[in-house]
Amino acid sequence: MHTGMESPRGIWWKPAHKAEKVWVLIAFGWCMVLFAMMPLWHLKGAQNPSGIRYRVDPNDYARRTAEFIRTYKTGEDGGIPVVEPPPGSDVYLLGRMWSWQPVLKLRKGVQYTLHLSSLDVNHGFSLTPVNLNFQVVPGYDYGLRIVPTQAGDFRIVCNEFCGIQHHAMVGRIIVVDDSAAAAPQPSTGGGQ
Ligand code: CUA
């Protein structure tokens, strides 16, 4: 009778079967391929951003954002300032419980340095529907060199749980196409 007290009779201490060795080698080889893909994809894939990170005091960041809004504000959208920064400028976006400040109006094909940071807890910057995702961390200024390639009215959805109103934390980025703006447009964002 099998009581479970004696050692099981088995063959696990015998040398591995050839097929098992082959699979271990294949798995290891694949690990190496994936490992190499991390730096390769960073350089070739144009997907992983090379961000600029600085430590920043959240209050300093809030001041910088306020200054940025004062300088380039062109309107308001539901109580949130709409800001139209000039090409090549530093653009500040502040995440906090539970809003994104300000609404950004950018131009297609123009480079900006987009700064992301939070005033309180971790938030997630998720640009929809293009599916760009970045962490927004208090105490860190994450600078991204961006060139909008697509005109449209985009939403920033918070994808990091940040409290009771997390689901309502939605911001807005409007990208206008300057070449198309030469002719009068029926609607350029703004009130709706
Ligand atoms: Cu901010 Cu969730």
Side-chain angles (χ1 to χ4, degrees), residues 117-190:
S117 194
S118 160
L119 198 57
D120 34 50
V121 297
N122 262 36
H123 298 283
F125 173 100
S126 183
L127 194 68
T128 56
V130 272
N131 194 22
L132 283 172
N133 300 283
F134 301 103
Q135 292 268 324
V136 181
V137 183
Y140 282 93
D141 176 342
Y142 190 20
L144 295 157
R145 295 214 177 80
I146 57 157
V147 178
T149 54
Q150 210 184 317
D153 192 349
F154 303 96
R155 292 294 175 273
I156 310 160
V157 175
C158 181
N159 64 4
E160 198 76 52
F161 184 75
C162 58
I164 195 84
Q165 285 293 320
H166 158 71
H167 64 279
M169 188 170 166
V170 180
R172 191 174 175 204
I173 294 181
I174 303 152
V175 178
V176 290
D177 192 346
D178 256 356
S179 51
Q185 282 185 310
S187 154
T188 327

Side-chain angles (χ1 to χ4, degrees), residues 79-101:
I80 309 268
V82 178
V83 174
E84 213 173 328
S89 61
D90 285 273
V91 173
Y92 292 88
L93 187 70
L94 176 75
R96 65 192 300 181
M97 290 189 267
W98 292 279
S99 67
W100 298 99
Q101 297 257 0

Side-chain angles (χ1 to χ4, degrees), residues 37-52:
M37 279 308 284
M38 283 194 279
L40 281 181
W41 197 241
H42 183 87
L43 297 169
K44 285 273 176 194
Q47 266 203 7
N48 302 18
S50 297
I52 320 146

Side-chain angles (χ1 to χ4, degrees), residues 39-120:
L40 281 181
W41 197 241
H42 183 87
L43 297 169
K44 285 273 176 194
Q47 266 203 7
N48 302 18
S50 297
I52 320 146
R53 287 178 196 78
Y54 303 102
R55 260 181 197 283
V56 69
D57 181 75
N59 294 315
D60 286 343
Y61 191 85
R63 261 193 295 277
R64 230 172 272 171
T65 307
E67 174 71 36
F68 166 72
I69 291 170
R70 240 192 328 273
T71 313
Y72 302 120
K73 183 175 167 180
T74 57
E76 266 194 27
D77 173 31
I80 309 268
V82 178
V83 174
E84 213 173 328
S89 61
D90 285 273
V91 173
Y92 292 88
L93 187 70
L94 176 75
R96 65 192 300 181
M97 290 189 267
W98 292 279
S99 67
W100 298 99
Q101 297 257 0
V103 170
L104 295 171
K105 207 166 178 183
L106 307 177
R107 292 190 214 162
K108 185 182 160 181
V110 168
Q111 183 178 285
Y112 303 90
T113 304
L114 174 65
H115 296 262
L116 300 171
S117 194
S118 160
L119 198 57
D120 34 50

